[in-house]
Amino acid sequence: MGAGDTGKQPRSVRVVLLALMIAMLLAMLDNMIVGTAMPTIVGELGGLEHLSWVVTAYTLATAASTPIWGKLGDMYGRKGVFMTSIVLFLIGSALSGMAQDMGQLIGFRAIQGLGAGGLMVGVMAIIGDLIPPRERGKYQGMMAGVMALAMIGGPLVGGTITDHWGWRWSFYINLPLGIVALVAVSAVLHLPKKRVEARIDYLGAVLLTVGITAIVLVTTWGGTEYAWDSAMIMELIAIGVAALVGFLFVQTKAAAPVMPLHIFRSRNFTLMSVVGFVAGFVMFGAVLFLPLYQQSVQGASATNSGLLLLPMLGAMLVTSMVAGRVTTNTGRYKVFPIVGSALMVVGLYLLSLMDTDTSRLTSGVYMAVVGAGMGCLMQITMLVSQNSVEMKDMGVASSSTTLFRTLGSSFGVAIMGALFNNRVQDVMSERAGALGSKVTEQSAQLDAASLAKLPVAAREAYQHAVASGTHSAFLLGAAVAVVALVTAVFVKEVPLRGASGGGAG
């Protein structure tokens, strides 16, 4: 079932697309569900000091394996590699559900993360094989819908499962969904088998893995586990830079490089990598700080934290569907990265204006502006990137775009988080003196229970501190989004390949 067959077998295509959406949902939903279950997990398994590693192990394994899955799909065929990643993810999920201590859970989460790296790339690359770029816009709304569903539904589903079935089911729930996706892909997806004689670029894969791991650890640990100027962070930066420089050198010599550097000769591909990085930076920063602001300053309940993001995610879904339809009907897309980046700049600036008196309606409108900008960008970056390379490089193009977005989110959470924490500490010291410093010395992010126990003066000081912290974080986000706007202006509108232009290579 190649791209040219989409008209002959629409039902087969729809079944495969449904299976791909389930796989994508699995990859995105997992961290959202597990995050809600973490307090219960720690209560049963102990190991509070290793808590962050439950998420970090998964994120690290996902980021590091993403480019390798993409390359393996290009070399050995998309279907088998994708099915392998699903199986690996399901094995990791089953083992995580059976974990008896925190060490086991962290190790099994890493296995799960390795599989998740292949899920996202596999979905994007298979859609790239099956659907010509001109037609691909139709399916953007489905992908945006899955993303919105994961972000809104994740915390709600996680809380419900943990309360009624126990935390282990937050992992076991992946099994029936994954098996459905596996059976559907196995039965209906038919792509040409490939076999490339060139050896896998093991040295390049190792160097890239070390480089990505160092970057993610720097952004995860910097300012929290270790000071930014500590020896550990400096060593990780040095290791990361050395590994990535070595990786670039190896890629110029390898017969089948993990990330062929020639794909960056395409201006559009390089520009879209930058835009994707910025979109990841901004989006995950916004998703992190908006619920925090609404819970701490506006008094919203933590239980419904996912629902608080509805204005942003709803706008993202609508604009993504509109962008997809317009792109499919006209074949033109340059307007969307420009408009999307401009909306993000404006929306983030508006969010930076929020203070202790901002109403939920006003903040909802500001969020909708940011969401509309993201909707114009999220899938268009992948579409243009895939249209900028040959079919044989579809996997590495998809994985590289996904990787840049992932790295952008790591940097966004780290840098915006550091700025937020410093600002909260400063304002608490100014407004509440020694008591303020004591309140936030462990963490600048207090939960609802801790907040309720504070004296009224300290609580009001904390609300002002959070408003000030989110102001700084969103102002930085707006400045970074300007980079995406400038970059988008230089995108060249290359005609999208039609049905005759793409085979299931």
Side-chain angles (χ1 to χ4, degrees):
M1 187 175 65
D5 302 324
T6 53
K8 297 176 193 170
Q9 292 180 295
R11 182 171 294 176
S12 299
V13 174
R14 284 200 295 270
V15 172
V16 169
L17 285 171
L18 178 62
L20 295 180
M21 293 305 117
I22 292 172
M24 190 173 174
L25 183 65
L26 286 174
M28 295 204 63
L29 196 60
D30 196 74
N31 260 346
M32 300 285 176
I33 290 179
V34 172
T36 315
M38 281 315 300
T40 311
I41 293 172
V42 171
E44 183 173 324
L45 298 184
L48 178 63
E49 68 276 13
H50 304 305
L51 175 67
S52 63
W53 272 105
V54 176
V55 175
T56 302
Y58 181 89
T59 308
L60 264 180
T62 301
S65 64
T66 294
I68 296 163
W69 284 113
K71 184 61 183 178
L72 289 174
D74 284 343
M75 292 179 73
Y76 300 113
R78 214 79 66 204
K79 180 177 177 178
V81 170
F82 182 57
M83 290 175 67
T84 303
S85 72
I86 296 177
V87 170
L88 194 58
F89 182 83
L90 295 181
I91 290 171
S93 297
L95 291 173
S96 295
M98 293 187 279
Q100 298 302 306
D101 58 49
M102 196 59 91
Q104 287 182 11
L105 180 60
I106 290 166
F108 297 149
R109 283 283 283 162
I111 295 172
Q112 202 184 9
L114 287 174
L119 292 183
M120 289 292 286
V121 175
V123 168
M124 298 300 181
I126 289 171
I127 288 177
D129 273 355
L130 289 179
I131 314 293
R134 180 69 184 264
E135 300 297 313
R136 215 172 291 156
K138 291 178 188 174
Y139 303 99
Q140 286 178 236
M142 292 167 64
M143 292 188 206
V146 167
M147 194 175 291
L149 188 65
M151 289 181 175
I152 296 168
L156 295 173
V157 171
T160 304
I161 288 174
T162 305
D163 290 344
H164 293 90
W165 297 350
W167 67 266
R168 295 182 186 278
W169 277 96
S170 62
F171 296 106
Y172 293 149
I173 196 73
N174 294 330
L175 301 180
L177 288 172
I179 289 168
V180 168
L182 198 60
V183 170
V185 168
S186 173
V188 185
L189 179 63
H190 304 293
L191 294 173
K193 288 188 176 163
K194 309 178 190 177
R195 177 76 195 184
V196 177
E197 293 305 318
R199 292 180 59 215
I200 296 174
D201 175 20
Y202 291 108
L203 179 57
V206 169
L207 287 170
L208 182 59
T209 301
V210 170
I212 292 171
T213 301
I215 289 171
V216 174
L217 285 178
V218 166
T219 56
T220 305
W221 285 348
T224 52
E225 300 282 326
Y226 302 94
W228 283 105
D229 57 355
S230 65
M232 174 64 82
I233 297 298
M234 291 297 121
E235 286 167 12
L236 282 171
I237 290 172
I239 291 169
V241 170
L244 293 177
V245 169
F247 169 74
L248 292 175
F249 176 75
V250 168
Q251 296 311 280
T252 63
K253 308 290 183 189
V258 174
M259 191 183 291
L261 299 184
H262 66 79
I263 61 177
F264 292 98
R265 288 185 200 139
S266 163
R267 182 171 83 178
N268 276 5
F269 182 84
T270 304
L271 293 175
M272 281 298 129
S273 297
V274 175
V275 172
F277 180 92
V278 172
F281 187 106
V282 168
M283 180 175 176
F284 285 89
V287 168
L288 180 69
F289 293 112
L290 280 169
L292 181 65
Y293 168 83
Q294 290 177 306
Q295 289 169 38
S296 301
V297 180
Q298 295 181 327
S301 70
T303 312
N304 298 324
S305 56
L307 296 176
L308 301 175
L309 298 172
L310 263 177
M312 184 173 79
L313 298 169
M316 187 175 88
L317 177 58
V318 171
T319 51
S320 184
M321 291 176 73
V322 170
R325 284 288 170 187
V326 171
T327 302
T328 297
N329 293 337
T330 66
R332 306 185 76 82
Y333 53 80
K334 179 174 178 176
V335 64
F336 294 113
I338 295 173
V339 171
S341 301
L343 285 172
M344 279 208 310
V345 172
V346 172
L348 287 161
Y349 175 72
L350 290 173
L351 287 175
S352 77
L353 301 178
M354 295 190 304
D355 56 26
T356 53
D357 298 321
T358 304
S359 69
R360 289 195 194 179
L361 176 62
T362 304
S363 59
V365 172
Y366 294 169
M367 279 193 277
V369 176
V370 175
M374 288 176 183
C376 290
L377 290 178
M378 293 309 287
Q379 303 306 330
I380 289 287
T381 51
M382 181 65 72
L383 176 66
V384 177
S385 297
Q386 290 180 338
N387 193 56
S388 303
V389 301
E390 296 177 49
M391 290 300 288
K392 68 182 178 67
D393 291 322
M394 187 67 71
V396 291
S398 303
S399 63
S400 299
T401 305
T402 305
L403 175 64
F404 284 117
R405 191 180 296 170
T406 303
L407 293 179
S409 67
S410 292
F411 276 92
V413 169
I415 297 171
M416 291 169 82
L419 199 62
F420 172 85
N421 291 342
N422 289 338
R423 192 71 198 123
V424 169
Q425 303 277 14
D426 291 345
V427 173
M428 285 297 281
S429 297
E430 288 167 18
R431 285 182 168 264
L435 175 62
S437 300
K438 191 163 187 249
V439 166
T440 56
E441 67 183 356
Q442 294 298 320
S443 172
Q445 300 177 25
L446 302 183
D447 58 25
S450 305
L451 202 55
K453 292 175 188 171
L454 293 180
V456 175
R459 193 182 313 136
E460 287 179 357
Y462 183 68
Q463 288 173 339
H464 281 281
V466 168
S468 182
T470 50
H471 165 77
S472 300
F474 288 130
L475 206 55
L476 171 68
V480 172
V482 171
V483 175
L485 178 58
V486 173
T487 304
V489 170
F490 292 98
V491 170
K492 184 181 177 187
E493 193 144 50
V494 179
L496 296 171
R497 291 191 291 264
S500 60

